[in-house]
Amino acid sequence: MSARPHGLGRIGIWAGDFDDLPAYELCKAAAAIEDLGYGTLWFPETTGREAMAQAAILLSVTRHMIVAAGMTDIYARDPVTAAAAQRTLDEAFPGRFLLGLWDSHPSLAEDIRGHRFGPPLATMRSYLDALDTAPFGPPGTAASPHRVLAALRSDMLTLAAERAQGATVLGMPIEYTRTARTVLGNDALLAITQMCVLSHGHADTADLARTTAAAALPNRRGLLRELGYDNPDALDDRLVDALVAHGSAEDIAHRVQEHFDAGADHVSLHLLTPTPGIAPIHQWEHMATHLLA
């Protein structure tokens, strides 16, 4: 849809399983994604590698591709440390690092990291305030504007439009892309991550698509009801298909185009396979022939 400049390219890869790869395989996978022509490599942060260190690894083994730490947990590092790390990466790899901030989850913040989980919007707003005024970083560097917020709720989308370049939205139906564009307005970046299972047809991919949709459900129930999915817990075929694009490369490419038509600026593919720990390089290559030609 949009001519909004963002430098991410139209299509990226969301590497949700990179923490399952040993470091040397991680580097090979990142180089392959760049060689295939994808504009941006996204990855999350949960309980695996530390996000800023992983970003440095990925930036060092690629040449021009954007590396986006798409869901850095705001409870994983204080904002002064986050600002210093971002400014360090910006200095070493000018214009190639994008910081995506995530408001985390109570179990991660409290049970694993030992923090008190605060109200998401207020906590994120305070974090951004501290990030913008952080005093430390390489000499001569300033606070970086290259950031997005990982957002699902409308209040976080609004904050993303006010205090960041825009938002990244993971694992929601096409209807929500339209909603997110409306909330963000015309100028902010909207980067969508589409969960995908690639095979010859729906029958081959149904089980993995359903498992993936079930795992995504807990954080999305309320939003899905607002979109007209009245009983999300039933996980009927309509809802599974809305959350996970599954089937042929043509099926997935069609879904990607629907996101662009609904207002997305950039779409990253989270290609899921039944064999975690193995980078789906052949699937990335197959999708590149349909989306990057």
Side-chain angles (χ1 to χ4, degrees):
M1 165 190 166
S2 171
R4 287 174 288 270
H6 50 72
L8 302 179
R10 279 173 58 84
I11 309 294
I13 292 293
W14 180 276
D17 298 328
F18 261 16
D19 283 340
D20 295 330
L21 302 179
Y24 71 93
E25 292 289 348
L26 177 82
C27 295
K28 286 171 55 180
I33 290 168
E34 180 173 62
D35 289 344
L36 288 169
Y38 291 101
T40 302
L41 168 56
W42 300 78
F43 66 93
E45 179 180 46
T46 51
T47 58
R49 293 186 181 89
E50 193 278 326
M52 300 301 197
Q54 176 147 290
I57 293 170
L58 297 173
L59 287 161
S60 69
V61 298
T62 53
R63 303 178 302 279
H64 52 77
M65 181 173 62
I66 300 295
V67 171
M71 289 175 61
T72 57
D73 189 334
I74 61 173
Y75 293 90
R77 62 197 61 77
D78 65 73
V80 174
T81 301
Q86 183 180 20
R87 288 162 65 174
T88 299
L89 293 172
D90 283 342
E91 180 191 36
F93 305 96
R96 292 187 53 214
F97 176 63
L98 178 63
L99 177 65
L101 296 169
W102 176 47
D103 58 347
S104 193
H105 189 276
S107 63
L108 283 174
E110 297 184 353
D111 299 338
I112 294 176
R113 300 194 185 279
H115 299 288
R116 182 177 179 180
F117 186 79
L121 186 67
T123 303
M124 180 64 80
R125 191 181 296 277
S126 296
Y127 195 93
L128 292 171
D129 290 342
L131 195 69
D132 287 343
T133 57
F136 301 132
T141 62
S144 173
H146 302 301
R147 69 184 182 213
V148 294
L149 303 187
L152 288 179
R153 301 178 309 276
S154 60
D155 57 359
M156 197 64 73
L157 288 167
T158 299
L159 186 63
E162 295 172 351
R163 300 291 303 275
Q165 287 178 286
T168 176
V169 175
L170 169 63
M172 287 293 287
I174 297 294
E175 300 96 317
Y176 195 73
T177 298
R178 297 190 185 96
T179 297
R181 173 48 67 202
T182 299
V183 174
L184 285 169
N186 291 328
D187 297 329
L189 168 70
L190 176 55
I192 298 294
T193 297
Q194 175 63 58
M195 298 184 292
C196 312
V197 182
L198 175 63
S199 189
H200 296 298
H202 275 51
D204 300 325
T205 58
D207 288 344
L208 183 53
R210 186 168 299 280
T211 300
T212 300
L217 193 59
N219 292 338
R220 294 165 174 79
R221 281 190 181 92
L223 290 170
L224 291 170
R225 290 190 183 101
E226 291 175 10
L227 293 174
Y229 299 91
D230 296 331
N231 185 16
D233 289 301
L235 271 182
D236 59 24
D237 289 346
R238 173 174 170 256
L239 178 55
V240 172
D241 290 349
L243 292 174
V244 184
H246 60 111
S248 68
E250 291 81 3
D251 294 328
I252 294 172
H254 178 72
R255 178 69 59 86
V256 168
Q257 186 57 52
E258 287 184 306
H259 280 298
F260 285 127
D261 293 342
D265 297 299
H266 171 89
V267 178
S268 60
L269 306 178
H270 184 7
L271 280 158
L272 299 128
T273 73
T275 54
I278 301 175
I281 292 175
H282 292 303
Q283 294 199 10
W284 295 335
E285 182 177 10
H286 190 47
M287 288 309 308
T289 64
H290 287 75
L291 290 170
L292 302 178

